[in-house]
C-alpha cells in the first residue's frame, strides 16, 4: 500500500463524503463526522433534490476516471455500486 497523496478516485470519495455530510448533518452526526451535531437536514422539496444531484455528479466524475492500481479499481467499483444503489432508491 502506498502512502502520500490519495489518488483522484480516493479524493473523489473524500469529496463526496464531505458534501454528503453537509447535505445530511443528521447522518454525518450518526456516522461520527464532527461539526454537524447542532444541525438538522433540509427536509424541503428543494433539499430533497440535492442528494440525488450530488450522487449523479459523483458518478459522472467517477466514470471519467481511470484507476491507477488495484486499490483504485476496488474503490471505484465499490463507489459505483453503492452510489448506483442509493440513486435507485431516490429514483423509485
Amino acid at each position: 500500500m502506498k502512502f502520500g497523496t490519495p489518488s483522484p478516485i480516493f479524493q473523489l470519495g473524500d469529496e463526496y463524503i464531505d458534501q454528503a455530510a453537509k447535505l445530511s448533518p443528521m447522518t454525518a452526526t450518526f456516522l461520527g463526522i464532527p461539526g454537524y451535531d447542532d444541525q438538522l437536514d433540509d427536509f424541503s422539496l428543494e433539499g430533497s433534490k440535492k442528494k440525488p444531484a450530488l450522487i449523479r455528479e459523483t458518478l459522472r466524475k467517477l466514470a471519467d476516471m481511470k484507476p491507477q492500481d488495484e486499490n483504485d479499481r476496488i474503490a471505484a467499483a465499490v463507489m459505483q455500486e453503492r452510489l448506483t444503489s442509493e440513486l435507485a432508491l431516490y429514483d423509485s
Side-chain angles (χ1 to χ4, degrees):
M1 174 178 272
K2 298 183 282 186
F3 294 98
T5 304
S7 73
I9 290 174
F10 277 85
Q11 288 176 358
L12 178 64
D14 289 345
E15 290 169 12
Y16 173 79
I17 294 297
D18 291 343
Q19 293 173 355
K22 290 176 187 170
L23 292 177
S24 181
M26 295 167 63
T27 300
T29 299
F30 176 77
L31 294 174
I33 300 171
Y36 296 96
D37 59 343
D38 62 339
Q39 301 171 39
L40 296 173
D41 292 13
D42 178 359
F43 292 108
S44 70
L45 184 57
E46 286 303 311
S48 69
K49 295 177 184 177
K50 292 178 182 178
K51 182 74 180 275
L54 172 62
I55 294 171
R56 284 185 179 89
E57 178 65 14
T58 303
L59 286 169
R60 186 193 62 71
K61 289 178 181 178
L62 183 61
D64 292 339
M65 295 180 166
K66 182 175 180 174
Q68 296 176 357
D69 57 22
E70 186 65 6
N71 290 332
D72 266 5
R73 187 194 65 73
I74 293 168
V78 170
M79 284 176 54
Q80 173 75 33
E81 189 278 327
R82 291 286 75 212
L83 293 176
T84 300
S85 295
E86 189 172 357
L87 187 58
L89 287 173
Y90 279 105
D91 289 343
S92 66

